[in-house]
PDB file of all heavy atoms in Angstrom:
ATOM      1  N   ALA A  51      16.620  28.791  -4.904  1.00 96.00           N
ATOM      2  CA  ALA A  51      17.558  27.751  -4.268  1.00 96.00           C
ATOM      3  C   ALA A  51      16.875  26.622  -3.787  1.00 96.00           C
ATOM      4  O   ALA A  51      17.242  25.560  -3.882  1.00 96.00           O
ATOM      5  CB  ALA A  51      18.340  28.434  -3.214  1.00 96.00           C
ATOM      6  N   GLY A  52      15.753  26.855  -3.154  1.00 96.00           N
ATOM      7  CA  GLY A  52      14.933  25.850  -2.512  1.00 96.00           C
ATOM      8  C   GLY A  52      14.385  24.816  -3.598  1.00 96.00           C
ATOM      9  O   GLY A  52      14.258  23.587  -3.327  1.00 96.00           O
ATOM     10  N   SER A  53      13.997  25.547  -4.657  1.00 98.00           N
ATOM     11  CA  SER A  53      13.490  24.705  -5.797  1.00 98.00           C
ATOM     12  C   SER A  53      14.445  23.796  -6.435  1.00 98.00           C
ATOM     13  O   SER A  53      14.294  22.624  -6.834  1.00 98.00           O
ATOM     14  CB  SER A  53      12.822  25.586  -6.971  1.00 98.00           C
ATOM     15  OG  SER A  53      11.773  26.290  -6.290  1.00 98.00           O
ATOM     16  N   LEU A  54      15.814  24.411  -6.479  1.00 97.00           N
ATOM     17  CA  LEU A  54      16.826  23.549  -7.058  1.00 97.00           C
ATOM     18  C   LEU A  54      17.115  22.389  -6.200  1.00 97.00           C
ATOM     19  O   LEU A  54      17.278  21.237  -6.672  1.00 97.00           O
ATOM     20  CB  LEU A  54      18.135  24.412  -7.181  1.00 97.00           C
ATOM     21  CG  LEU A  54      18.222  25.338  -8.325  1.00 97.00           C
ATOM     22  CD1 LEU A  54      19.522  26.168  -8.154  1.00 97.00           C
ATOM     23  CD2 LEU A  54      18.314  24.583  -9.561  1.00 97.00           C
ATOM     24  N   ARG A  55      17.102  22.611  -4.833  1.00 96.00           N
ATOM     25  CA  ARG A  55      17.368  21.494  -3.967  1.00 96.00           C
ATOM     26  C   ARG A  55      16.199  20.462  -3.988  1.00 96.00           C
ATOM     27  O   ARG A  55      16.597  19.199  -3.942  1.00 96.00           O
ATOM     28  CB  ARG A  55      17.679  21.980  -2.628  1.00 96.00           C
ATOM     29  CG  ARG A  55      18.229  20.858  -1.547  1.00 96.00           C
ATOM     30  CD  ARG A  55      19.075  21.521  -0.545  1.00 96.00           C
ATOM     31  NE  ARG A  55      19.761  20.376   0.147  1.00 96.00           N
ATOM     32  CZ  ARG A  55      19.147  19.869   1.286  1.00 96.00           C
ATOM     33  NH1 ARG A  55      17.976  20.182   1.733  1.00 96.00           N
ATOM     34  NH2 ARG A  55      19.853  18.869   1.926  1.00 96.00           N
ATOM     35  N   ALA A  56      15.036  20.969  -4.127  1.00 97.00           N
ATOM     36  CA  ALA A  56      13.940  20.090  -4.251  1.00 97.00           C
ATOM     37  C   ALA A  56      13.956  19.127  -5.464  1.00 97.00           C
ATOM     38  O   ALA A  56      13.752  17.951  -5.454  1.00 97.00           O
ATOM     39  CB  ALA A  56      12.586  20.826  -4.324  1.00 97.00           C
ATOM     40  N   MET A  57      14.523  19.753  -6.583  1.00 98.00           N
ATOM     41  CA  MET A  57      14.652  19.094  -7.835  1.00 98.00           C
ATOM     42  C   MET A  57      15.784  18.015  -7.671  1.00 98.00           C
ATOM     43  O   MET A  57      15.587  16.780  -8.093  1.00 98.00           O
ATOM     44  CB  MET A  57      15.025  20.016  -8.919  1.00 98.00           C
ATOM     45  CG  MET A  57      15.244  19.401 -10.322  1.00 98.00           C
ATOM     46  SD  MET A  57      15.663  20.546 -11.641  1.00 98.00           S
ATOM     47  CE  MET A  57      17.347  21.073 -11.128  1.00 98.00           C
ATOM     48  N   GLU A  58      16.805  18.377  -7.024  1.00 97.00           N
ATOM     49  CA  GLU A  58      17.954  17.392  -6.825  1.00 97.00           C
ATOM     50  C   GLU A  58      17.522  16.173  -5.930  1.00 97.00           C
ATOM     51  O   GLU A  58      17.908  15.110  -6.283  1.00 97.00           O
ATOM     52  CB  GLU A  58      19.123  18.105  -6.089  1.00 97.00           C
ATOM     53  CG  GLU A  58      19.821  19.181  -6.869  1.00 97.00           C
ATOM     54  CD  GLU A  58      20.874  20.075  -6.160  1.00 97.00           C
ATOM     55  OE1 GLU A  58      20.804  19.802  -4.898  1.00 97.00           O
ATOM     56  OE2 GLU A  58      21.396  20.947  -6.647  1.00 97.00           O
ATOM     57  N   PHE A  59      16.588  16.507  -4.877  1.00 98.00           N
ATOM     58  CA  PHE A  59      16.175  15.376  -4.250  1.00 98.00           C
ATOM     59  C   PHE A  59      15.189  14.458  -5.068  1.00 98.00           C
ATOM     60  O   PHE A  59      15.373  13.211  -4.939  1.00 98.00           O
ATOM     61  CB  PHE A  59      15.341  15.930  -3.000  1.00 98.00           C
ATOM     62  CG  PHE A  59      14.984  14.768  -1.977  1.00 98.00           C
ATOM     63  CD1 PHE A  59      15.608  13.622  -1.834  1.00 98.00           C
ATOM     64  CD2 PHE A  59      14.084  15.120  -1.014  1.00 98.00           C
ATOM     65  CE1 PHE A  59      15.421  12.691  -0.859  1.00 98.00           C
ATOM     66  CE2 PHE A  59      13.630  14.089  -0.035  1.00 98.00           C
ATOM     67  CZ  PHE A  59      14.372  12.924   0.027  1.00 98.00           C
ATOM     68  N   ALA A  60      14.413  15.061  -5.896  1.00 98.00           N
ATOM     69  CA  ALA A  60      13.586  14.282  -6.780  1.00 98.00           C
ATOM     70  C   ALA A  60      14.359  13.365  -7.768  1.00 98.00           C
ATOM     71  O   ALA A  60      13.929  12.298  -8.048  1.00 98.00           O
ATOM     72  CB  ALA A  60      12.684  15.283  -7.528  1.00 98.00           C
ATOM     73  N   GLN A  61      15.450  13.904  -8.130  1.00 98.00           N
ATOM     74  CA  GLN A  61      16.404  13.240  -8.990  1.00 98.00           C
ATOM     75  C   GLN A  61      17.058  11.996  -8.415  1.00 98.00           C
ATOM     76  O   GLN A  61      17.425  11.035  -8.851  1.00 98.00           O
ATOM     77  CB  GLN A  61      17.463  14.139  -9.667  1.00 98.00           C
ATOM     78  CG  GLN A  61      16.790  15.185 -10.667  1.00 98.00           C
ATOM     79  CD  GLN A  61      17.749  16.239 -11.076  1.00 98.00           C
ATOM     80  OE1 GLN A  61      17.505  16.911 -12.129  1.00 98.00           O
ATOM     81  NE2 GLN A  61      18.879  16.430 -10.480  1.00 98.00           N
ATOM     82  N   TYR A  62      17.309  12.317  -7.039  1.00 97.00           N
ATOM     83  CA  TYR A  62      17.879  11.306  -6.228  1.00 97.00           C
ATOM     84  C   TYR A  62      17.073  10.129  -5.920  1.00 97.00           C
ATOM     85  O   TYR A  62      17.481   8.877  -5.835  1.00 97.00           O
ATOM     86  CB  TYR A  62      18.378  11.905  -4.961  1.00 97.00           C
ATOM     87  CG  TYR A  62      19.039  10.909  -3.906  1.00 97.00           C
ATOM     88  CD1 TYR A  62      20.286  10.570  -3.964  1.00 97.00           C
ATOM     89  CD2 TYR A  62      18.199  10.374  -2.876  1.00 97.00           C
ATOM     90  CE1 TYR A  62      20.931   9.650  -2.990  1.00 97.00           C
ATOM     91  CE2 TYR A  62      18.760   9.559  -1.993  1.00 97.00           C
ATOM     92  CZ  TYR A  62      20.078   9.172  -2.042  1.00 97.00           C
ATOM     93  OH  TYR A  62      20.590   8.303  -1.017  1.00 97.00           O
TER      94      TYR A  62
END
Side-chain angles (χ1 to χ4, degrees):
S53 299
L54 279 176
R55 192 150 187 268
M57 181 180 70
E58 290 169 359
F59 191 21
Q61 291 170 167
Y62 173 83

